[in-house]
Amino acid sequence: MQQAYNVLFIVVLIILALFLFACLLRAIIGPKVADRLVATNMMGTIVIAIIAILAFLLKEGYLLDICIIYAMISFLAVVMLSKVYIGVHKAKKEGKKND
């Protein structure tokens, strides 16, 4: 039974890796900055899920601590990118008013 679970987790890891690649493409190609921000946030979430599954498969508890740290860093990165985007948007808006 344990081997069946291991195969299932490996299949889930492969699927998550494909989703991660799709989010990377969206972050690169995304027509709008908002699409890129959402893709970046989704990539962080997928990486956290991958690390959590690997922690369970490898029976290494310290990987869960890394998950928590990565979640905090990912959240801060998305907040900072959002603030930068808002600043750029406001600057463009003010530039159009001055023209």
Side-chain angles (χ1 to χ4, degrees):
M1 192 65 167
Q2 184 66 31
Q3 190 171 2
Y5 281 126
N6 287 343
V7 171
L8 176 70
F9 288 138
I10 290 171
V11 169
V12 169
L13 285 174
I14 292 170
I15 291 170
L16 286 174
L18 292 174
F19 287 159
L20 188 65
F21 183 70
C23 287
L24 181 64
L25 287 177
R26 175 52 67 190
I28 293 171
I29 299 171
K32 296 184 180 182
V33 177
D35 294 333
R36 291 185 175 116
L37 284 174
V38 170
T40 304
N41 193 16
M42 183 67 96
M43 285 191 302
T45 304
I46 291 173
V47 168
I48 292 167
I50 288 172
I51 294 172
I53 292 171
L54 285 175
F56 185 76
L57 275 175
L58 300 175
K59 295 176 179 58
E60 297 290 341
Y62 69 91
L63 287 176
L64 295 176
D65 297 334
I66 292 173
C67 273
I68 295 170
I69 293 169
Y70 192 86
M72 289 187 292
I73 291 171
S74 176
F75 173 74
L76 287 175
V78 170
V79 168
M80 291 305 297
L81 287 173
S82 297
K83 286 197 174 273
V84 168
Y85 172 65
I86 289 170
V88 169
H89 181 70
K90 283 183 181 178
K92 283 184 182 180
K93 201 174 188 181
E94 288 176 5
K96 286 182 182 179
K97 284 183 181 179
N98 292 334
D99 290 339

Coordinates of all heavy atoms in Angstrom, one line a residue:
M1 N 0.8 -1.2 0.0 CA 0.0 0.0 0.0 C 0.9 1.3 0.0 O 0.5 2.2 -0.7 CB -0.9 0.0 1.2 CG -2.0 1.0 1.2 SD -3.1 0.7 -0.1 CE -4.4 1.7 0.3
Q2 N 2.0 1.2 0.7 CA 2.9 2.4 0.8 C 3.4 2.7 -0.6 O 3.6 3.8 -0.9 CB 4.0 2.1 1.8 CG 4.9 3.3 2.0 CD 4.2 4.5 2.7 OE1 3.3 4.3 3.4 NE2 4.7 5.7 2.3
Q3 N 3.7 1.6 -1.3 CA 4.3 1.9 -2.7 C 3.3 2.5 -3.6 O 3.6 3.4 -4.4 CB 4.8 0.5 -3.3 CG 5.6 0.7 -4.5 CD 6.2 -0.6 -5.0 OE1 6.0 -1.6 -4.4 NE2 7.0 -0.5 -6.1
A4 N 2.0 2.2 -3.4 CA 1.0 2.8 -4.2 C 0.9 4.3 -3.9 O 0.7 5.2 -4.8 CB -0.4 2.2 -4.0
Y5 N 1.0 4.7 -2.6 CA 1.0 6.1 -2.2 C 2.2 6.8 -2.8 O 2.1 8.0 -3.2 CB 1.0 6.2 -0.7 CG -0.4 6.0 -0.1 CD1 -0.6 5.1 0.9 CD2 -1.5 6.8 -0.6 CE1 -1.9 5.0 1.4 CE2 -2.7 6.6 0.0 CZ -2.9 5.7 1.0 OH -4.2 5.6 1.5
N6 N 3.4 6.1 -2.8 CA 4.6 6.8 -3.3 C 4.4 7.0 -4.8 O 4.8 8.1 -5.3 CB 5.8 5.9 -3.1 CG 6.3 5.9 -1.6 OD1 5.9 6.7 -0.9 ND2 7.0 4.9 -1.3
V7 N 3.8 6.1 -5.5 CA 3.6 6.3 -7.0 C 2.6 7.5 -7.2 O 2.8 8.3 -8.0 CB 3.1 5.0 -7.6 CG1 2.6 5.3 -9.1 CG2 4.1 4.0 -7.6
L8 N 1.6 7.5 -6.3 CA 0.6 8.6 -6.4 C 1.3 10.0 -6.2 O 1.1 10.9 -6.9 CB -0.5 8.4 -5.4 CG -1.5 9.5 -5.4 CD1 -2.4 9.6 -6.6 CD2 -2.4 9.4 -4.1
F9 N 2.1 10.1 -5.2 CA 2.8 11.3 -4.9 C 3.8 11.7 -6.0 O 3.9 12.9 -6.3 CB 3.6 11.2 -3.5 CG 2.7 11.2 -2.3 CD1 2.9 10.3 -1.3 CD2 1.6 12.1 -2.2 CE1 2.1 10.3 -0.2 CE2 0.8 12.1 -1.1 CZ 1.0 11.2 -0.1
I10 N 4.4 10.8 -6.6 CA 5.3 11.1 -7.7 C 4.5 11.6 -8.9 O 4.9 12.6 -9.6 CB 6.2 9.8 -8.1 CG1 7.2 9.6 -6.9 CG2 6.9 10.1 -9.4 CD1 8.0 8.3 -7.1
V11 N 3.4 11.0 -9.2 CA 2.5 11.5 -10.2 C 2.0 12.9 -9.9 O 2.0 13.8 -10.8 CB 1.3 10.5 -10.5 CG1 0.3 11.1 -11.4 CG2 1.8 9.2 -11.0
V12 N 1.7 13.2 -8.7 CA 1.2 14.5 -8.3 C 2.4 15.5 -8.5 O 2.2 16.6 -8.9 CB 0.7 14.5 -6.9 CG1 0.5 15.9 -6.3 CG2 -0.6 13.7 -6.8
L13 N 3.6 15.1 -8.1 CA 4.8 16.0 -8.3 C 5.0 16.3 -9.8 O 5.3 17.4 -10.1 CB 6.0 15.3 -7.7 CG 6.1 15.3 -6.2 CD1 7.3 14.5 -5.7 CD2 6.2 16.7 -5.7
I14 N 4.8 15.3 -10.6 CA 5.0 15.6 -12.1 C 3.9 16.5 -12.6 O 4.2 17.5 -13.3 CB 5.0 14.2 -12.8 CG1 6.2 13.4 -12.5 CG2 4.9 14.5 -14.3 CD1 6.2 12.0 -13.0
I15 N 2.7 16.4 -12.1 CA 1.6 17.2 -12.5 C 1.9 18.7 -12.0 O 1.7 19.7 -12.8 CB 0.2 16.7 -12.1 CG1 -0.1 15.4 -12.8 CG2 -0.9 17.8 -12.2 CD1 -1.3 14.7 -12.2
L16 N 2.3 18.8 -10.8 CA 2.6 20.1 -10.2 C 3.8 20.8 -11.0 O 3.8 22.0 -11.2 CB 2.9 20.0 -8.7 CG 1.7 19.8 -7.8 CD1 2.2 19.6 -6.4 CD2 0.8 20.9 -7.9
A17 N 4.7 20.0 -11.4 CA 5.8 20.5 -12.2 C 5.3 21.1 -13.5 O 5.8 22.1 -14.0 CB 6.9 19.5 -12.4
L18 N 4.4 20.4 -14.1 CA 3.8 20.9 -15.4 C 3.0 22.2 -15.2 O 3.1 23.1 -16.0 CB 2.9 19.8 -16.0 CG 3.6 18.5 -16.5 CD1 2.6 17.5 -17.0 CD2 4.5 18.9 -17.7
F19 N 2.3 22.2 -14.1 CA 1.6 23.5 -13.7 C 2.6 24.6 -13.5 O 2.3 25.7 -13.8 CB 0.7 23.3 -12.5 CG -0.6 22.4 -12.8 CD1 -1.2 21.8 -11.7 CD2 -1.1 22.3 -14.0 CE1 -2.4 21.1 -11.9 CE2 -2.2 21.6 -14.3 CZ -2.9 21.0 -13.2
L20 N 3.7 24.3 -12.8 CA 4.7 25.3 -12.5 C 5.3 25.8 -13.8 O 5.4 27.0 -14.0 CB 5.8 24.7 -11.7 CG 6.9 25.6 -11.1 CD1 6.2 26.6 -10.2 CD2 8.0 24.9 -10.5
F21 N 5.5 25.0 -14.8 CA 6.0 25.4 -16.1 C 4.9 26.3 -16.8 O 5.3 27.3 -17.4 CB 6.3 24.2 -17.0 CG 6.9 24.5 -18.3 CD1 8.2 25.1 -18.4 CD2 6.2 24.3 -19.5 CE1 8.7 25.4 -19.6 CE2 6.7 24.7 -20.7 CZ 7.9 25.2 -20.8
A22 N 3.7 25.9 -16.7 CA 2.6 26.7 -17.3 C 2.5 28.1 -16.7 O 2.3 29.1 -17.4 CB 1.3 26.0 -17.2
C23 N 2.7 28.2 -15.4 CA 2.7 29.5 -14.7 C 3.9 30.3 -15.1 O 3.8 31.5 -15.2 CB 2.6 29.3 -13.2 SG 1.1 28.7 -12.6
L24 N 5.0 29.6 -15.3 CA 6.2 30.4 -15.7 C 6.0 31.0 -17.1 O 6.3 32.1 -17.4 CB 7.4 29.4 -15.8 CG 8.7 30.0 -16.2 CD1 9.1 31.1 -15.2 CD2 9.8 29.0 -16.3
L25 N 5.3 30.2 -18.0 CA 5.0 30.8 -19.3 C 4.0 31.9 -19.2 O 4.2 32.9 -19.9 CB 4.4 29.7 -20.2 CG 5.3 28.6 -20.7 CD1 4.6 27.6 -21.5 CD2 6.4 29.2 -21.6
R26 N 3.1 31.8 -18.3 CA 2.1 32.9 -18.1 C 2.8 34.2 -17.6 O 2.5 35.3 -17.9 CB 1.0 32.5 -17.2 CG 0.0 33.6 -16.9 CD -0.5 34.4 -18.0 NE -1.4 33.6 -18.8 CZ -1.9 33.9 -20.0 NH1 -1.6 35.1 -20.5 NH2 -2.6 33.1 -20.7
A27 N 3.8 33.9 -16.7 CA 4.5 35.1 -16.1 C 5.4 35.7 -17.1 O 5.6 37.0 -17.1 CB 5.4 34.6 -14.9
I28 N 5.9 35.0 -18.1 CA 6.7 35.6 -19.1 C 5.9 36.2 -20.2 O 6.2 37.3 -20.7 CB 7.7 34.5 -19.7 CG1 8.7 34.1 -18.7 CG2 8.4 35.0 -21.0 CD1 9.5 32.9 -19.1
I29 N 4.9 35.5 -20.7 CA 4.1 36.0 -21.8 C 2.9 36.9 -21.4 O 2.5 37.7 -22.3 CB 3.5 34.7 -22.6 CG1 4.7 33.9 -23.1 CG2 2.6 35.1 -23.8 CD1 4.3 32.6 -23.7
G30 N 2.5 36.8 -20.2 CA 1.3 37.5 -19.8 C 1.1 38.9 -20.3 O 2.0 39.7 -20.3
P31 N -0.1 39.1 -20.9 CA -0.2 40.4 -21.6 C -0.3 41.6 -20.6 O 0.1 42.7 -21.0 CB -1.5 40.3 -22.4 CG -2.3 39.2 -21.7 CD -1.2 38.3 -21.1
K32 N -0.7 41.4 -19.4 CA -0.8 42.4 -18.4 C 0.0 42.1 -17.2 O 0.4 41.0 -16.9 CB -2.3 42.6 -18.0 CG -3.2 43.0 -19.1 CD -4.6 43.2 -18.6 CE -5.5 43.7 -19.8 NZ -6.8 43.9 -19.4
V33 N 0.4 43.2 -16.5 CA 1.2 43.0 -15.3 C 0.4 42.2 -14.2 O 1.0 41.4 -13.5 CB 1.6 44.4 -14.7 CG1 2.4 44.3 -13.4 CG2 2.4 45.1 -15.8
A34 N -0.9 42.4 -14.2 CA -1.7 41.6 -13.2 C -1.6 40.1 -13.4 O -1.5 39.3 -12.5 CB -3.1 42.1 -13.2
D35 N -1.6 39.7 -14.7 CA -1.4 38.3 -15.0 C -0.1 37.8 -14.5 O 0.0 36.7 -14.0 CB -1.5 38.1 -16.6 CG -2.9 38.4 -17.1 OD1 -3.9 38.3 -16.3 OD2 -3.0 38.8 -18.3
R36 N 0.9 38.6 -14.7 CA 2.3 38.2 -14.2 C 2.3 38.1 -12.7 O 3.0 37.2 -12.2 CB 3.3 39.2 -14.7 CG 3.4 39.1 -16.2 CD 4.5 40.1 -16.7 NE 4.7 39.8 -18.1 CZ 4.5 40.8 -19.1 NH1 4.1 41.9 -18.7 NH2 4.7 40.5 -20.3
L37 N 1.7 39.0 -12.0 CA 1.6 38.9 -10.5 C 0.9 37.7 -10.0 O 1.4 37.0 -9.1 CB 1.0 40.2 -10.0 CG 1.8 41.5 -10.0 CD1 1.0 42.6 -9.5 CD2 3.0 41.3 -9.1
V38 N -0.2 37.4 -10.7 CA -1.0 36.2 -10.3 C -0.1 34.9 -10.6 O -0.1 34.0 -9.8 CB -2.3 36.2 -11.0 CG1 -3.0 34.8 -10.8 CG2 -3.2 37.3 -10.5
A39 N 0.5 34.9 -11.7 CA 1.3 33.7 -12.1 C 2.5 33.6 -11.1 O 2.8 32.5 -10.7 CB 1.9 33.9 -13.5
T40 N 3.1 34.7 -10.7 CA 4.2 34.6 -9.7 C 3.7 34.1 -8.4 O 4.4 33.3 -7.7 CB 4.8 36.0 -9.5 OG1 5.2 36.5 -10.8 CG2 6.0 36.0 -8.6
N41 N 2.5 34.6 -7.9 CA 2.0 34.1 -6.7 C 1.6 32.6 -6.8 O 1.9 31.8 -5.8 CB 0.7 34.9 -6.3 CG 0.2 34.6 -4.9 OD1 1.0 34.1 -4.1 ND2 -1.0 35.0 -4.7
M42 N 1.1 32.2 -7.9 CA 0.7 30.8 -8.1 C 2.0 29.9 -8.1 O 2.0 28.8 -7.6 CB 0.0 30.6 -9.4 CG -0.5 29.2 -9.7 SD -1.7 28.7 -8.5 CE -3.2 29.0 -9.4
M43 N 3.1 30.4 -8.7 CA 4.3 29.6 -8.7 C 4.8 29.4 -7.3 O 5.3 28.3 -7.0 CB 5.4 30.3 -9.6 CG 5.2 30.2 -11.0 SD 6.6 30.7 -12.1 CE 6.8 32.4 -11.6
G44 N 4.7 30.4 -6.5 CA 5.1 30.3 -5.1 C 4.3 29.2 -4.4 O 4.8 28.4 -3.6
T45 N 3.0 29.2 -4.6 CA 2.1 28.3 -4.0 C 2.4 26.8 -4.4 O 2.4 25.9 -3.6 CB 0.6 28.6 -4.3 OG1 0.4 29.9 -3.9 CG2 -0.3 27.6 -3.6
I46 N 2.7 26.7 -5.7 CA 3.0 25.3 -6.3 C 4.3 24.8 -5.7 O 4.4 23.6 -5.3 CB 3.0 25.4 -7.8 CG1 1.6 25.6 -8.3 CG2 3.6 24.1 -8.4 CD1 1.5 25.8 -9.8
V47 N 5.3 25.7 -5.6 CA 6.6 25.3 -5.0 C 6.4 24.9 -3.6 O 7.0 23.9 -3.1 CB 7.6 26.4 -5.2 CG1 8.9 26.1 -4.3 CG2 8.0 26.6 -6.6
I48 N 5.6 25.6 -2.8 CA 5.3 25.2 -1.4 C 4.7 23.8 -1.4 O 5.1 23.0 -0.5 CB 4.4 26.2 -0.7 CG1 5.2 27.5 -0.6 CG2 3.9 25.7 0.6 CD1 4.4 28.7 -0.2
A49 N 3.7 23.5 -2.3 CA 3.1 22.2 -2.3 C 4.1 21.1 -2.7 O 4.1 20.0 -2.1 CB 1.9 22.2 -3.3
I50 N 5.0 21.4 -3.6 CA 6.0 20.4 -4.0 C 6.9 20.1 -2.8 O 7.3 19.0 -2.6 CB 6.8 21.0 -5.2 CG1 5.9 20.9 -6.5 CG2 8.1 20.1 -5.5 CD1 6.5 21.6 -7.7
I51 N 7.4 21.2 -2.1 CA 8.3 20.9 -1.0 C 7.6 20.1 0.1 O 8.2 19.3 0.7 CB 8.8 22.3 -0.5 CG1 9.7 22.9 -1.5 CG2 9.6 22.1 0.8 CD1 10.1 24.4 -1.1
A52 N 6.3 20.4 0.3 CA 5.6 19.7 1.4 C 5.4 18.2 1.0 O 5.6 17.3 1.8 CB 4.2 20.3 1.6
I53 N 5.1 17.9 -0.3 CA 5.0 16.5 -0.7 C 6.4 15.8 -0.6 O 6.5 14.7 -0.2 CB 4.5 16.4 -2.1 CG1 3.0 16.9 -2.1 CG2 4.6 15.0 -2.7 CD1 2.4 17.1 -3.5
L54 N 7.4 16.5 -1.0 CA 8.8 15.9 -0.9 C 9.1 15.7 0.6 O 9.8 14.7 0.9 CB 9.8 16.8 -1.5 CG 9.9 16.8 -3.0 CD1 10.9 17.8 -3.5 CD2 10.2 15.4 -3.5
A55 N 8.7 16.6 1.5 CA 8.9 16.3 2.9 C 8.3 15.1 3.4 O 8.8 14.3 4.2 CB 8.4 17.5 3.7
F56 N 7.1 14.8 2.9 CA 6.3 13.6 3.3 C 7.0 12.4 2.7 O 7.1 11.4 3.4 CB 4.9 13.7 2.9 CG 4.1 12.6 3.3 CD1 3.6 12.5 4.6 CD2 3.7 11.6 2.4 CE1 2.9 11.4 5.1 CE2 2.9 10.5 2.9 CZ 2.5 10.4 4.2
L57 N 7.4 12.5 1.4 CA 8.0 11.3 0.7 C 9.4 11.0 1.4 O 9.7 9.8 1.6 CB 8.2 11.6 -0.7 CG 7.0 11.3 -1.7 CD1 7.4 11.7 -3.1 CD2 6.7 9.9 -1.7
L58 N 10.2 12.0 1.6 CA 11.5 11.7 2.2 C 11.6 11.6 3.7 O 12.6 11.3 4.3 CB 12.4 12.9 1.7 CG 12.6 13.1 0.2 CD1 13.4 14.3 -0.1 CD2 13.2 11.8 -0.4
K59 N 10.4 11.9 4.3 CA 10.3 11.8 5.8 C 11.3 12.7 6.5 O 12.0 12.3 7.4 CB 10.4 10.4 6.3 CG 9.3 9.5 5.8 CD 9.5 8.0 6.2 CE 8.4 7.1 5.8 NZ 8.1 7.1 4.4
E60 N 11.4 13.9 5.9 CA 12.3 14.9 6.5 C 11.5 16.1 7.0 O 10.9 16.8 6.2 CB 13.3 15.4 5.4 CG 14.2 14.4 4.8 CD 15.3 13.9 5.8 OE1 15.5 14.7 6.8 OE2 15.8 12.9 5.6
G61 N 11.5 16.3 8.3 CA 10.7 17.3 8.9 C 11.2 18.7 8.7 O 10.4 19.7 8.7
Y62 N 12.5 18.9 8.5 CA 13.0 20.2 8.3 C 12.5 20.9 7.0 O 12.5 22.1 6.9 CB 14.5 20.3 8.3 CG 15.2 19.6 7.1 CD1 15.5 20.3 6.0 CD2 15.5 18.2 7.2 CE1 16.1 19.7 4.9 CE2 16.1 17.6 6.1 CZ 16.4 18.4 5.0 OH 16.9 17.7 3.9
L63 N 12.0 20.1 6.0 CA 11.5 20.6 4.8 C 10.2 21.4 5.0 O 9.9 22.3 4.3 CB 11.3 19.5 3.7 CG 12.6 18.9 3.1 CD1 12.2 17.8 2.2 CD2 13.4 20.0 2.4
L64 N 9.5 21.0 6.0 CA 8.2 21.7 6.4 C 8.6 23.1 6.9 O 7.8 24.1 6.6 CB 7.4 21.0 7.3 CG 6.8 19.6 6.8 CD1 6.1 18.9 7.9 CD2 5.9 19.9 5.6
D65 N 9.7 23.2 7.6 CA 10.1 24.5 8.1 C 10.5 25.4 6.9 O 10.2 26.6 6.8 CB 11.3 24.4 9.0 CG 11.0 23.7 10.3 OD1 9.8 23.7 10.7 OD2 11.9 23.1 10.9
I66 N 11.1 24.8 5.9 CA 11.5 25.5 4.7 C 10.2 26.0 4.0 O 10.2 27.1 3.4 CB 12.4 24.6 3.8 CG1 13.8 24.5 4.5 CG2 12.6 25.2 2.4 CD1 14.7 23.5 3.8
C67 N 9.2 25.2 4.0 CA 7.9 25.5 3.4 C 7.4 26.8 4.0 O 6.9 27.7 3.3 CB 6.9 24.4 3.6 SG 6.9 23.2 2.3
I68 N 7.4 26.9 5.3 CA 6.9 28.1 6.0 C 7.7 29.3 5.7 O 7.2 30.4 5.4 CB 6.9 27.8 7.5 CG1 5.9 26.7 7.9 CG2 6.5 29.1 8.3 CD1 5.9 26.2 9.3
I69 N 9.0 29.2 5.7 CA 9.9 30.3 5.3 C 9.7 30.7 3.9 O 9.6 31.9 3.6 CB 11.4 29.9 5.6 CG1 11.6 29.7 7.1 CG2 12.3 31.0 5.0 CD1 12.9 29.1 7.4
Y70 N 9.5 29.7 3.0 CA 9.3 30.1 1.6 C 7.9 30.7 1.4 O 7.8 31.7 0.6 CB 9.4 28.8 0.7 CG 9.4 29.1 -0.8 CD1 10.6 29.3 -1.4 CD2 8.3 29.1 -1.5 CE1 10.7 29.6 -2.7 CE2 8.3 29.4 -2.9 CZ 9.5 29.7 -3.5 OH 9.5 30.0 -4.8
A71 N 6.9 30.3 2.1 CA 5.6 31.0 2.1 C 5.7 32.4 2.5 O 5.1 33.3 1.8 CB 4.6 30.2 2.9
M72 N 6.5 32.7 3.5 CA 6.6 34.1 4.0 C 7.3 34.9 2.9 O 7.0 36.1 2.6 CB 7.3 34.2 5.3 CG 6.5 33.7 6.5 SD 7.2 33.9 8.1 CE 8.6 32.8 8.0
I73 N 8.4 34.4 2.4 CA 9.2 35.1 1.4 C 8.4 35.3 0.1 O 8.4 36.4 -0.5 CB 10.5 34.4 1.0 CG1 11.4 34.4 2.3 CG2 11.2 34.9 -0.2 CD1 12.7 33.6 2.1
S74 N 7.6 34.3 -0.3 CA 6.8 34.4 -1.5 C 5.7 35.5 -1.3 O 5.4 36.3 -2.2 CB 6.1 33.1 -1.8 OG 5.2 33.2 -2.9
F75 N 5.1 35.5 -0.1 CA 4.1 36.5 0.2 C 4.7 37.9 0.1 O 4.1 38.9 -0.5 CB 3.5 36.3 1.5 CG 2.5 37.4 2.0 CD1 1.3 37.5 1.4 CD2 2.9 38.2 3.0 CE1 0.4 38.5 1.8 CE2 2.1 39.2 3.4 CZ 0.8 39.4 2.8
L76 N 5.8 38.1 0.7 CA 6.5 39.4 0.7 C 6.9 39.8 -0.7 O 6.8 41.0 -1.1 CB 7.7 39.4 1.6 CG 7.4 39.4 3.1 CD1 8.7 39.3 3.9 CD2 6.7 40.7 3.5
A77 N 7.3 38.9 -1.5 CA 7.7 39.2 -2.9 C 6.5 39.7 -3.7 O 6.5 40.7 -4.4 CB 8.3 38.0 -3.6
V78 N 5.3 39.0 -3.5 CA 4.1 39.4 -4.2 C 3.7 40.8 -3.7 O 3.2 41.7 -4.5 CB 3.0 38.4 -4.1 CG1 1.7 38.9 -4.6 CG2 3.4 37.1 -4.8
V79 N 3.7 41.1 -2.5 CA 3.3 42.4 -1.9 C 4.3 43.5 -2.5 O 3.8 44.5 -2.9 CB 3.4 42.4 -0.4 CG1 3.2 43.8 0.2 CG2 2.2 41.5 0.1
M80 N 5.5 43.2 -2.5 CA 6.5 44.2 -3.0 C 6.3 44.5 -4.5 O 6.3 45.6 -5.0 CB 7.9 43.8 -2.8 CG 8.3 43.8 -1.3 SD 8.0 45.4 -0.5 CE 9.1 46.5 -1.4
L81 N 6.1 43.4 -5.3 CA 5.8 43.6 -6.7 C 4.5 44.3 -7.0 O 4.4 45.1 -7.9 CB 5.7 42.2 -7.4 CG 7.1 41.5 -7.6 CD1 6.8 40.1 -8.1 CD2 8.0 42.3 -8.5
S82 N 3.5 44.1 -6.1 CA 2.2 44.8 -6.2 C 2.4 46.3 -6.0 O 1.9 47.2 -6.7 CB 1.2 44.3 -5.3 OG 0.9 42.9 -5.6
K83 N 3.2 46.6 -4.9 CA 3.5 48.0 -4.6 C 4.3 48.7 -5.7 O 4.0 49.8 -6.1 CB 4.3 48.1 -3.3 CG 3.4 47.8 -2.1 CD 4.1 48.4 -0.9 CE 3.2 48.2 0.3 NZ 2.4 49.4 0.5
V84 N 5.2 48.0 -6.3 CA 5.9 48.6 -7.5 C 5.0 48.8 -8.6 O 5.0 49.9 -9.3 CB 7.1 47.7 -7.9 CG1 7.7 48.1 -9.2 CG2 8.2 47.7 -6.8
Y85 N 4.1 47.9 -8.9 CA 3.2 48.0 -10.0 C 2.2 49.2 -9.8 O 2.0 50.0 -10.7 CB 2.4 46.7 -10.2 CG 1.3 46.9 -11.2 CD1 1.5 47.1 -12.5 CD2 0.0 46.8 -10.8 CE1 0.5 47.3 -13.4 CE2 -1.1 46.9 -11.7 CZ -0.8 47.2 -13.0 OH -1.8 47.4 -13.9
I86 N 1.8 49.3 -8.5 CA 0.9 50.4 -8.2 C 1.6 51.8 -8.4 O 1.1 52.7 -8.9 CB 0.3 50.3 -6.8 CG1 -0.7 49.1 -6.8 CG2 -0.4 51.6 -6.3 CD1 -1.1 48.7 -5.4
G87 N 2.9 51.8 -8.0 CA 3.7 53.0 -8.1 C 3.9 53.4 -9.6 O 3.7 54.6 -10.0
V88 N 4.2 52.4 -10.4 CA 4.3 52.7 -11.8 C 3.0 53.1 -12.5 O 3.0 54.0 -13.3 CB 4.9 51.4 -12.5 CG1 4.8 51.5 -14.1 CG2 6.3 51.1 -12.1
H89 N 1.9 52.5 -12.1 CA 0.6 52.8 -12.6 C 0.3 54.3 -12.2 O -0.2 55.0 -13.1 CB -0.5 51.9 -12.1 CG -1.8 52.2 -12.6 ND1 -2.2 51.9 -13.9 CD2 -2.9 52.6 -11.9 CE1 -3.4 52.3 -14.0 NE2 -3.9 52.7 -12.9
K90 N 0.5 54.7 -11.0 CA 0.2 56.0 -10.6 C 1.1 57.0 -11.3 O 0.6 58.1 -11.7 CB 0.4 56.2 -9.1 CG -0.7 55.6 -8.2 CD -0.4 55.9 -6.8 CE -1.5 55.3 -5.9 NZ -1.3 55.5 -4.5
A91 N 2.4 56.7 -11.5 CA 3.3 57.6 -12.3 C 2.8 57.8 -13.7 O 2.8 58.9 -14.2 CB 4.7 57.0 -12.2
K92 N 2.4 56.7 -14.3 CA 1.8 56.8 -15.7 C 0.6 57.7 -15.8 O 0.4 58.5 -16.7 CB 1.5 55.4 -16.3 CG 2.8 54.7 -16.7 CD 2.4 53.4 -17.4 CE 3.5 52.6 -17.8 NZ 3.2 51.3 -18.4
K93 N -0.3 57.5 -14.8 CA -1.5 58.2 -14.7 C -1.3 59.7 -14.5 O -1.9 60.6 -15.2 CB -2.4 57.7 -13.5 CG -3.8 58.0 -13.6 CD -4.5 57.3 -12.5 CE -6.0 57.4 -12.6 NZ -6.7 56.7 -11.5
E94 N -0.3 60.1 -13.7 CA 0.0 61.5 -13.4 C 0.7 62.0 -14.7 O 0.6 63.2 -15.0 CB 0.9 61.6 -12.2 CG 0.2 61.4 -10.9 CD 1.1 61.4 -9.7 OE1 2.3 61.7 -9.9 OE2 0.6 61.1 -8.6
G95 N 1.5 61.2 -15.4 CA 2.2 61.7 -16.6 C 1.2 62.0 -17.7 O 1.4 63.0 -18.4
K96 N 0.1 61.3 -17.8 CA -0.9 61.5 -18.8 C -1.7 62.8 -18.4 O -2.1 63.6 -19.3 CB -1.9 60.4 -18.9 CG -1.3 59.2 -19.6 CD -2.3 58.1 -19.7 CE -1.7 56.9 -20.4 NZ -2.6 55.8 -20.5
K97 N -1.9 63.1 -17.1 CA -2.6 64.3 -16.7 C -1.8 65.6 -17.1 O -2.3 66.6 -17.4 CB -2.9 64.3 -15.2 CG -4.0 63.4 -14.8 CD -4.3 63.5 -13.3 CE -5.4 62.5 -12.9 NZ -5.6 62.6 -11.5
N98 N -0.4 65.4 -16.9 CA 0.4 66.6 -17.2 C 0.6 66.9 -18.7 O 0.9 68.0 -19.1 CB 1.8 66.4 -16.6 CG 1.8 66.4 -15.1 OD1 0.9 67.0 -14.5 ND2 2.7 65.7 -14.5
D99 N 0.3 65.9 -19.5 CA 0.4 66.1 -21.0 C -0.7 66.9 -21.6 O -1.5 67.5 -21.4 CB 0.5 64.8 -21.7 CG 1.8 64.1 -21.5 OD1 2.8 64.8 -21.1 OD2 1.9 62.9 -21.7

